[in-house]
Amino acid sequence: MTGTNPGISPAANGVAPGMHPAVDPAIDAAAHSSAPGGLVKSVVELDRVVIRLAGDSGDGMQLTGGRFTSETASFGNDLSTLPNFPAEIRAPTGTLPGVSSFQLHFADHDIMTPGDAPDVLVVMNPAALKANLMDLPGGGLLIADSDEFTPRNLAKVGYASNPLEDGSLEKWQLVSVPLTSMTTDALADSGLGKKEAERSKNMFTLGLLSWMYHRPTEGTIRFLERQFRRKPQIAAANIAAFRAGFNYGETTEAFAVSYEVKPAPMAPGKYRHISGNQALSYGLVAAGQRSGLPVFLGAYPITPASDILHELSKHKAFGVRTFQAEDEIAGIGAALGASFGGALGVTTTSGPGVALKAETIGLAVMTELPLLIVDVQRGGPSTGLPTKTEQSDLLQALYGRNGEAPVPVIAPRSPGDCFDATLEAARIALTYRTPVILLSDGYLANGAEPWSIPATDELPDLRTEFATEPNGPDGEFLPYLRDPETLARPWAVPGTAGLQHRIGGLEKADKTGNISYDPENHDFMTRTRQAKVDGIAASIPATEVDDPDGDARVAVIGWGSTYGPIGAACRRIRASGRSIAQVHLRHLNPLPADLGEILARYDRVVCPEMNLGQLAMVLRAKYLVDVHSHTQVRGLPFRAAELAAVFQDVIDGTTGTVATLDTGSDTPAQTGAAL
Amino acid sequence: MTAIDSSNTESTNAHVHDLGMPAGPDITTISGAIDASIAANGEKQTALKAKDLKTDQEVRWCPGCGDYVILNAVQSFLPSLGIAREDMVIVSGIGCSSRFPYYMNTYGMHSIHGRAPAIATGLAASRPDLSVWVVTGDGDALSIGGNHLIHTLRRNVNLTILLFNNRIYGLTKGQYSPTSEVGKVTKSTPMGSIDAPFNPVSLALGADATFVGRAMDSDRKGLTDVLRQAAEHQGTSLVEIYQNCNIFNDGAFELLKDPNTGPMWTIPLVHGEPLVFGPGGASCVVRDDFGGLRIAESNQVDASQIVVHDAHRDDPSYAFALSRLSTQDLRYSPMGVFRSVVKPTYDRMMADQLEDAAAQEPADLDALLAGSDSWTVQ
Ligand SMILES: Cc1ncc(C[n+]2csc(CCOP(=O)(O)OP(=O)(O)O)c2C)c(N)n1
Ligand code: SF4
Ligand SMILES: [Mg+2]
């Protein structure tokens, strides 16, 4: 998902998709030899690899994965990542609840998901093995730190014997490597104690993987120097461990093969890799710059949204104010207060926080001030699964308030798209003078992908005007006299003489904004607020329907972060010779004006969601379409293969075709256009 | 789109700018839009009269409500501050008292129950040029909004908070409040309240509030005096105003208002003056043996033992000890300014950080988006 449209078909290279070729070159036909360090080593070309690193939460797997991602991005592969970590900061060492993992899918072509299953699994201890082995397909490459497979660690997770030695892992290509002791050996002269030296084993591992996959290493060395600027000894040790890992790969006989994944063709331009929370934060900074308004963020820390608060607090030079409030209610309250004063008010949170903010969102609906509410969804209800992803706040976003309180809702589809979706949310908030909810999720927030860096002068122009003069027939100011086109009311900021006015949560009289209990007025104002939000549909582009074959009878409709898995599944469907149309919604309220007519064109409409069918319910209610809802709430994104099987069932149920589906890879079919 | 009343089609007078400009906004003028809109209408009019602060809205408090007296006092006194109407903002919560903004010709927001301090914090922190006021009730500020109140006070945002304490929930028709005395019989406490009340001044001082005062609704002079000092204070000022709710808690402050009993139980706080009160100065405040304060009879102690009021003491314990002199039936109520100390304000520190950051690195959006690990595809 690079935002480009390469439309490539990967070269066949003798490697079955989803299957990592052997580390022993004798059994691999596609290998060609090279001779680094005097050893005869082969290089195998692959079109895609899925690697999962798993270890204890203290082993630094997220950092290691992040660095491998950076190296991979700067090499020019397309990529997609899936970090997966426990809610506990440090669950007891070596236990199953303490396992943290990071999955990275990279390829020489555009890809849409972090991969259904890893081709390569690196485990730093027995717990990591136990928690992840079931996901590694037979034949997959398994690298284990043999030093950590001690009787004590094995016993902690219930292994009666050492799986690295008892033959139980025969199904996989097992490479046991004493990563820990090789790290401490490499750091024998570093002056660090054994315990401290051991902590660099993740960098040793990263070095080894960097060698295996021909990753550029300068970036990591620069990163380590920067990261430990004030601790040169630690920086030197980590760099030494990283180099030792790389050299070990080059010289050891345990790894006779290294792998090459060529850069993916991407449209010319400048790229970086970016996570969803980062993109969303940059979107907020950019919205401030493009609107000419100071950004004010009021937020209370909550996973997985806190990183936005952290990121924005670094950008004070852009006039961005960040306020860590005493709770979620104060966070949104302060943001609304700032909006009243002429700022772009923003509050960021997750589902539980949105519940607390509901009353203030209602106040923003009533006072008709611009406000952005970012909900980075996580597993619910209640505290739920704080570090896992879910899409179960859709109905809360649409309806979770007292009274008739319509709020526009926008959802980004990929990490990089969080940037654009934020600008769109800001556009709506500023143009229509309304709170807007932006629904991201944990998968987008922490996942990363290459991002084509936009030209800032081509970003949407978000300038908006404040009222400067009275607008009433008798020279008075009417704070609820609306723009005839957008139905937005004037935004008159304190400090502007002659426009003093009072707003609030009590029902407002039309035009004057005075308190009104008049039945007709309330009916009128309720419908007007609804009409204002409904009217936003006129400003959103026609819905894109992706149906490259043009004859699809089944449409799949999704929203938010399921874009990648759904798109990958559609490619598989098309590769099997079937047709399917994909519609992916960015605007969830109001829905696009043409959506009803589009859905009516298909025999079946399938709607996969990471909840129990919330969008499906809305579509059924609104369009009377018999939507086939496919749902899952496992805290993890959909697997493309699983979705493809569901789509196939629906298609075949409709058309009667019987053909087998190649569930191998989500690469675009030769004939199909890339999504 | 639902049909809209056809008379509602006039455009607002806001000038519509040219959206066709290719380059987009000049990013060097952040918040320039606010400045421009404010500057657009020229000179500030600061010579005001009380009537300039009135609105055309009918005041809807019960006849005889203490809120009227407070409104009049505020309207008469505000012009003396020399602040233009448009530069004043009053934010309130929900309650009878919170209707206040509708009657003031300033900017205002009648928000939601308990949240006014949070909303005002965002406004004051992002617009240090404004004079921001919060009007709240005992239920609004101390019950549903207690959390916001204490956090606002500890941050020292530049706000003036007027807490109308009538020791009852007025708007919801007479339930006991967090300041109602133990044993209070109300609709929700037919056998008497069993909740220990808050002393709002003690609570504020516990949160290290930099300005805390107390005044009586009917005492125009005392109220104005405390309000003036509160308004001039840089940082969060909390003024507890004893306000009579003649419908649901009539006479709650009669002990202090009655000319016969008032002087006996009221301790006037005047900075630099000895704490002597009561008819003929018969009573006074002295230090007790435990570092606190106690009431003594003036003729029983040496004049040097009588505490001289010092509102500027950095350590809040003295002011706290003062606040603890009163009982829940209001005997020995200090009235005036308990504490007024200078501390950096939140909005100023926030603005300073923004300035420092801007001086250290220019705001370069292109550089931000590009980051340090980008690559180019030819
Ligand atoms: C969320 C919410 N809960 C409850 C109420 C009902 N309510 C309105 S005012 C009020 C109490 C007001 O008491 P106080 O703050 O002392 O103000 P007073 O009316 O006495 O001036 C309550 C409980 C409300 N408006 N909103
Ligand atoms: S109920 Fe009490 S506080 Fe409310 S307006 Fe009437 S007298 Fe005033
Ligand atoms: Mg009250």
Side-chain angles (χ1 to χ4, degrees):
Chain A
M1 275 180 291
T2 55
T4 61
N5 210 8
I8 47 96
S9 50
N13 56 14
V15 181
M19 160 103 176
H20 201 269
V23 284
D24 177 355
I27 57 163
D28 189 81
H32 58 270
S33 297
S34 67
L39 255 178
V40 179
K41 296 258 182 177
S42 316
V43 178
V44 172
E45 211 176 287
L46 299 176
D47 62 340
R48 54 185 284 272
V49 178
V50 179
I51 296 184
R52 185 185 296 176
L53 308 169
D56 202 65
S57 11
D59 287 339
M61 291 297 98
Q62 302 304 325
L63 176 83
T64 313
R67 279 318 310 165
F68 196 81
T69 304
S70 290
E71 292 178 358
T72 296
S74 68
F75 181 73
N77 292 127
D78 195 8
L79 63 86
S80 173
T81 68
L82 177 63
N84 193 354
F85 40 86
E88 294 74 21
I89 304 304
R90 280 285 175 94
T93 322
T95 60
L96 288 174
V99 174
S100 163
S101 71
F102 187 100
Q103 183 162 313
L104 167 66
H105 181 187
F106 60 102
D108 67 1
H109 54 278
D110 79 315
I111 51 170
M112 307 195 72
T113 73
D116 286 1
D119 306 310
V120 184
L121 174 65
V122 182
V123 294
M124 305 302 282
N125 66 9
L129 177 68
K130 187 147 216 178
N132 289 281
L133 188 62
M134 69 282 199
D135 293 337
L136 186 68
L141 177 58
L142 173 64
I143 301 174
D145 180 0
S146 54
D147 290 328
E148 291 295 320
F149 282 68
T150 60
R152 198 161 161 264
N153 285 350
L154 291 165
K156 271 187 198 171
V157 291
Y159 279 121
S161 65
N162 187 346
L164 303 185
E165 290 162 3
D166 65 10
S168 61
L169 301 175
E170 250 172 10
K171 227 172 97 186
W172 295 276
Q173 301 177 59
L174 171 67
V175 186
S176 294
V177 189
L179 293 168
T180 308
S181 52
M182 283 197 297
T183 306
T184 50
D185 288 352
L187 300 182
D189 303 329
S190 66
L192 294 180
K194 186 162 165 289
K195 271 263 157 294
E196 209 156 3
E198 274 182 7
R199 299 185 57 187
S200 296
K201 69 183 170 193
N202 63 332
M203 285 300 120
F204 185 95
T205 311
L206 180 63
L208 173 60
L209 291 171
S210 301
W211 171 81
M212 276 179 71
Y213 293 99
H214 296 233
R215 303 289 96 180
T217 55
E218 316 79 48
T220 295
I221 291 170
R222 258 186 285 127
F223 166 83
L224 290 169
E225 285 167 350
R226 245 194 341 240
Q227 190 77 2
F228 299 107
R229 225 180 12 252
R230 293 199 190 82
K231 296 183 185 156
Q233 198 189 16
I234 304 285
N238 275 304
I239 293 169
F242 177 66
R243 290 210 167 106
F246 192 94
N247 294 339
Y248 168 74
E250 208 161 60
T251 52
T252 184
E253 290 181 24
F255 294 93
V257 184
S258 65
Y259 306 93
E260 207 167 34
V261 180
K262 292 255 163 66
M266 295 190 192
K270 209 168 157 192
Y271 290 81
R272 63 175 290 169
H273 85 99
I274 200 159
S275 73
N277 272 351
Q278 218 171 3
L280 202 152
S281 307
Y282 292 169
L284 291 172
V285 175
Q289 297 288 295
R290 298 296 291 173
S291 61
L293 301 177
V295 173
F296 184 99
L297 171 68
Y300 189 75
I302 184 169
T303 303
S306 301
D307 282 340
I308 305 172
L309 169 62
H310 305 162
E311 184 64 39
L312 277 183
S313 60
K314 293 185 213 158
H315 302 304
K316 297 183 175 26
F318 290 89
V320 175
R321 286 179 165 83
T322 54
F323 169 63
Q324 183 177 312
E326 58 271 23
D327 59 25
E328 277 85 354
I329 303 175
I332 188 174
L336 184 65
S339 284
F340 184 42
L344 177 58
V346 184
T347 189
T348 50
T349 189
S350 187
V354 175
L356 289 172
K357 291 172 195 294
E359 191 190 10
T360 314
I361 299 174
L363 178 63
V365 167
M366 207 65 164
T367 54
E368 305 194 37
L369 286 168
L371 182 69
L372 297 183
I373 300 109
V374 177
D375 176 2
V376 186
Q377 299 164 96
R378 63 189 215 179
S382 186
T383 312
L385 298 174
T387 59
K388 311 289 180 206
T389 198
E390 209 162 278
Q391 295 183 302
S392 45
D393 293 348
L394 176 61
L395 293 181
Q396 176 176 229
L398 291 172
Y399 306 117
R401 287 165 295 283
N402 61 306
E404 294 287 350
V407 172
V409 180
I410 304 290
R413 57 172 59 177
S414 75
D417 187 46
C418 288
F419 181 83
D420 299 312
T422 302
L423 289 169
E424 172 64 357
R427 177 190 73 83
I428 292 174
L430 292 168
T431 310
Y432 296 89
R433 313 278 150 85
T434 175
V436 176
I437 296 179
L438 185 61
L439 275 181
S440 177
D441 65 30
Y443 169 54
L444 296 178
N446 294 316
E449 66 174 344
W451 183 53
S452 167
I453 300 164
T456 53
D457 54 2
E458 284 166 21
L459 296 175
D461 184 344
L462 298 176
R463 280 174 301 177
T464 180
E465 73 278 0
F466 294 126
T468 54
E469 283 162 41
N471 55 358
D474 303 317
E476 77 276 41
F477 178 57
L478 299 174
Y480 279 76
L481 180 63
R482 295 168 190 281
D483 179 286
E485 214 168 290
T486 60
L487 299 185
R489 71 175 194 89
W491 190 4
V493 297
T496 315
L499 305 191
Q500 297 94 273
H501 63 285
R502 277 65 53 193
I503 54 177
L506 281 172
E507 182 60 284
K508 301 279 157 282
D510 180 34
K511 301 187 186 68
T512 64
N514 292 331
I515 302 174
S516 167
Y517 302 113
D518 178 66
E520 290 311 314
N521 178 74
H522 177 57
D523 189 83
F524 172 77
M525 291 298 273
T526 303
R527 291 176 198 280
T528 303
R529 286 186 287 267
Q530 183 67 48
K532 179 175 87 165
V533 171
D534 291 347
I536 296 167
S539 74
I540 56 189
T543 306
E544 266 178 59
V545 180
D546 184 65
D547 178 16
D549 303 317
D551 60 354
R553 302 305 320 138
V554 170
V556 52
I557 183 164
W559 65 278
S561 75
T562 52
Y563 176 69
I566 293 175
C570 287
R571 286 178 179 182
R572 291 174 189 224
I573 290 289
R574 289 168 195 147
S576 77
R578 295 172 178 82
S579 297
I580 191 163
Q582 185 186 2
V583 174
H584 207 78
L585 297 177
R586 150 165 298 193
H587 295 89
L588 293 151
N589 192 38
L591 289 163
D594 56 0
L595 189 61
E597 180 267 318
I598 288 170
L599 296 182
R601 279 189 229 151
Y602 296 89
D603 296 340
R604 294 302 310 265
V605 174
V606 190
C607 181
E609 291 178 271
M610 295 188 289
N611 56 41
L612 297 187
Q614 301 191 6
L615 177 65
M617 188 183 102
V618 172
L619 296 176
R620 282 169 165 261
K622 193 159 162 87
Y623 302 115
L624 296 175
V625 170
D626 184 16
V627 175
H628 176 106
S629 174
H630 176 73
T631 64
Q632 161 214 290
V633 282
R634 297 163 55 241
L636 291 165
F638 280 110
R639 295 196 188 96
E642 172 199 338
L643 286 182
V646 171
F647 300 167
Q648 184 190 355
D649 280 353
V650 174
I651 293 170
D652 294 354
T654 313
T655 63
T657 319
V658 194
T660 24
L661 188 65
D662 166 20
T663 53
S665 122
D666 63 355
T667 51
Q670 309 267 355
T671 49
L675 290 172
Chain B
M1 207 185 287
T2 328
I4 299 299
D5 176 359
S6 60
S7 65
N8 190 13
T9 51
E10 298 151 72
S11 172
T12 64
N13 274 7
H15 62 275
V16 176
H17 68 85
D18 175 14
L19 276 167
M21 262 179 66
D26 174 2
I27 61 168
T28 57
T29 59
I30 261 311
S31 85
I34 300 175
D35 295 343
S37 129
I38 294 167
N41 40 40
E43 289 291 290
K44 291 279 176 204
Q45 176 58 258
T46 55
L48 301 175
K49 297 225 162 54
K51 70 167 174 35
D52 298 324
L53 288 166
K54 296 195 192 320
T55 64
D56 60 359
Q57 296 299 292
E58 182 197 345
V59 184
R60 297 211 192 150
W61 289 309
C62 309
C65 175
D67 289 348
Y68 282 98
V69 202
I70 305 173
L71 177 65
N72 285 335
V74 170
Q75 282 172 338
S76 326
F77 131 85
L78 270 185
S80 70
L81 293 177
I83 302 171
R85 287 186 295 197
E86 63 270 20
D87 291 339
M88 292 189 254
V89 187
I90 303 175
V91 183
S92 65
I94 297 290
C96 295
S97 37
S98 290
R99 294 293 179 96
F100 202 88
Y102 289 114
Y103 311 133
M104 293 288 297
N105 192 353
T106 63
Y107 282 85
M109 191 194 291
H110 175 218
S111 73
I112 45 177
H113 202 20
R115 317 303 173 193
I119 293 168
T121 291
L123 178 62
S126 55
R127 290 288 306 276
D129 57 311
L130 300 172
S131 170
V132 183
W133 298 66
V134 168
V135 172
T136 180
D138 42 325
D140 196 57
L142 301 172
S143 201
I144 193 167
N147 198 32
H148 307 309
L149 182 75
I150 57 175
H151 289 279
T152 302
L153 292 170
R154 81 175 162 85
R155 286 189 192 104
N156 202 30
V157 192
N158 196 18
L159 293 175
T160 306
I161 303 176
L162 309 185
L163 195 169
F164 291 26
N165 183 7
N166 54 13
R167 306 189 78 181
I168 202 81
Y169 282 5
L171 192 68
T172 45
K173 301 195 174 155
Q175 301 82 2
Y176 73 111
S177 92
T179 56
S180 298
E181 58 279 18
V182 173
K184 177 131 202 129
V185 174
T186 69
K187 283 185 188 146
S188 57
T189 50
M191 296 174 70
S193 159
I194 52 173
D195 287 27
F198 267 141
N199 174 329
V201 170
S202 301
L203 183 79
L205 290 166
D208 213 353
T210 55
F211 185 103
V212 185
R214 180 188 285 147
M216 182 66 73
D217 55 1
S218 50
D219 173 16
R220 171 72 72 100
K221 188 180 160 296
L223 175 58
T224 305
D225 188 47
V226 175
L227 288 179
R228 179 186 318 284
Q229 293 182 60
E232 283 164 0
H233 176 73
Q234 292 297 306
T236 312
S237 322
L238 179 96
V239 181
E240 181 190 18
I241 304 174
Y242 284 155
Q243 173 244 323
N244 191 42
C245 167
N246 55 308
I247 301 297
F248 296 111
N249 200 15
D250 196 22
F253 305 101
E254 215 35 51
L255 187 75
L256 302 177
K257 288 185 189 222
D258 186 322
N260 296 317
T261 54
M264 219 146 70
W265 304 119
T266 304
I267 309 174
L269 300 176
V270 183
H271 179 73
E273 296 289 326
L275 293 171
V276 177
F277 63 100
S283 305
C284 66
V285 176
V286 297
R287 305 211 172 273
D288 72 7
D289 298 338
F290 307 98
L293 302 174
R294 67 179 172 84
I295 307 295
E297 285 176 38
S298 303
N299 58 13
Q300 302 291 305
V301 298
D302 190 88
S304 65
Q305 283 178 277
I306 300 175
V307 175
V308 175
H309 183 49
D310 180 3
H312 305 326
R313 276 184 75 89
D314 197 54
D315 180 357
S317 352
Y318 158 68
F320 186 81
L322 267 183
S323 76
R324 304 312 293 170
L325 288 172
S326 44
T327 57
Q328 54 159 314
D329 62 9
L330 302 181
R331 281 173 298 140
Y332 304 119
S333 292
M335 304 295 283
V337 177
F338 287 74
R339 185 178 199 226
S340 171
V341 295
V342 179
K343 294 256 172 81
T345 66
Y346 189 86
D347 37 293
R348 190 62 257 158
M349 289 188 285
M350 191 180 242
D352 286 348
Q353 285 196 343
L354 259 61
E355 271 170 37
D356 291 352
Q360 275 163 27
E361 30 142 6
D364 181 345
L365 187 59
D366 287 294
L368 175 71
L369 299 188
S372 54
D373 268 336
S374 63
W375 70 94
T376 302
V377 174
Q378 299 298 338

